[in-house]
Amino acid sequence: MRQLFSSILRPLPLLAALISGSLLGGGLVMPLPAEALGEEAIVDKLEQVPVFIILNSDGQPLTAAAEVNNEEIKVPVVFIDGEAAEEFLTRARQEDPSAQVALVDLGTLYQETVLNSVEQVPLLYLPIGGELDAALQLESNFQGVPLFIARQGANGPYLTINQNGEASLPMFFSRNDLQTLLDRYRETNAAAASEIVIQVLSLEWLLATMINSNDPALDAQLEQVRLFPSTEVLNYIRSQQPR
């Protein structure tokens, strides 16, 4: 896997726009029809998400034991939170002083591991601690990496944002970031905003559904999905850039 992980250490697509905040904003509208997803579309959506892995001196990723198909295997650990990766790096360097944190985009990582046609490699995702706590307040038995979404009532349509004439269904890695968007919406749509509820689903469920779904109605919603990294994570990335 040395060649695999050396190839993904390159700048993140769309990272500059994400850090500047230019992708946030717009009004809330109802979903529109869309076509089913393919692997290219999945990767394109995931490229908007920065994640962190710890590499040893040989360029190999930090792994953890996980059960896949009733078999325990070693899988790469993917940190959603850069600060958590840095904290873990301190422990990793006790065994390998040359270990380092690498910033990659989830799209490239997912394409070269899970979607790899030669050697598929599962990934283990570690969520942001505070966001997991927020998810557990919504669903007491929640597991995985939280993605927060809004909908018009508990069983109503999911709310989307409209940018440049195109509707997308935003899913936020940060509960507070979604709330910021809803606060803007409430300023001009107070009556409709009073019916909005926030729900949570897992990144793991979303990825599995994107690959395996054969439901045209569900595929139409998945096509509109746009993932928004946590503002705090983007601020962390900005703080690490040379001045």
Side-chain angles (χ1 to χ4, degrees):
M1 294 175 64
R2 179 181 301 180
Q3 181 178 1
L4 166 68
F5 280 90
S6 63
S7 68
I8 63 178
L9 300 182
R10 54 177 177 262
L12 286 170
L14 302 181
L15 184 57
L18 285 167
I19 291 177
S20 69
S22 61
L23 296 183
L24 285 172
L28 291 172
V29 298
M30 296 304 168
L32 300 174
E35 297 180 355
L37 287 179
E39 288 188 5
E40 183 177 350
I42 295 173
V43 171
D44 184 61
K45 293 179 184 300
L46 298 181
E47 281 182 340
Q48 302 178 35
V49 181
V51 294
F52 308 84
I53 56 177
I54 295 178
L55 301 178
N56 64 19
S57 55
D58 294 325
Q60 300 299 303
L62 172 73
T63 61
E67 186 173 302
V68 178
N69 297 327
N70 297 320
E71 179 182 356
E72 186 175 284
I73 63 173
K74 296 289 187 179
V75 298
V77 178
V78 180
F79 294 84
I80 306 299
D81 183 5
E83 292 185 350
E86 287 285 355
E87 291 176 3
F88 203 95
L89 178 64
T90 302
R91 284 182 279 174
R93 282 182 169 168
Q94 294 177 1
E95 297 183 5
D96 185 349
S98 298
Q100 61 177 323
V101 173
L103 169 65
V104 299
D105 75 82
L106 182 55
T108 301
L109 180 61
Y110 198 76
Q111 183 178 40
E112 298 189 6
T113 53
V114 179
L115 299 180
N116 191 313
S117 60
V118 177
E119 180 186 1
Q120 292 184 336
V121 180
L123 299 172
L124 176 64
Y125 305 93
L126 295 188
I128 302 171
E131 302 304 337
L132 181 57
D133 292 339
L136 289 170
Q137 292 178 8
L138 297 173
E139 291 189 15
S140 60
N141 60 346
F142 182 86
Q143 295 182 341
V145 174
L147 292 173
F148 299 94
I149 53 179
R151 65 191 307 175
Q152 197 76 35
N155 299 306
Y158 292 105
L159 299 177
T160 69
I161 58 175
N162 188 8
Q163 290 183 301
N164 302 321
E166 295 185 3
S168 59
L169 197 167
M171 296 186 178
F172 291 83
F173 283 83
S174 165
R175 168 69 171 77
N176 287 339
D177 287 347
L178 172 55
Q179 188 61 54
T180 297
L181 182 65
L182 295 180
D183 289 344
R184 295 182 199 167
Y185 181 56
R186 186 172 289 108
E187 292 175 359
T188 55
N189 301 273
S194 65
E195 300 178 2
I196 292 176
V197 298
I198 294 178
Q199 297 181 341
V200 63
L201 55 83
S202 74
L203 173 65
E204 293 86 345
W205 176 88
L206 177 66
L207 294 174
T209 304
M210 282 182 170
I211 293 176
N212 299 318
S213 172
N214 56 8
D215 180 346
L218 180 56
D219 290 341
Q221 288 188 320
L222 294 174
E223 176 65 29
Q224 290 184 295
V225 167
R226 188 167 195 171
L227 298 172
F228 285 86
S230 164
T231 296
E232 291 188 1
V233 170
L234 297 179
N235 288 339
Y236 167 81
I237 295 172
R238 185 190 297 116
S239 72
Q240 302 301 305
Q241 295 176 339
R243 297 183 181 276

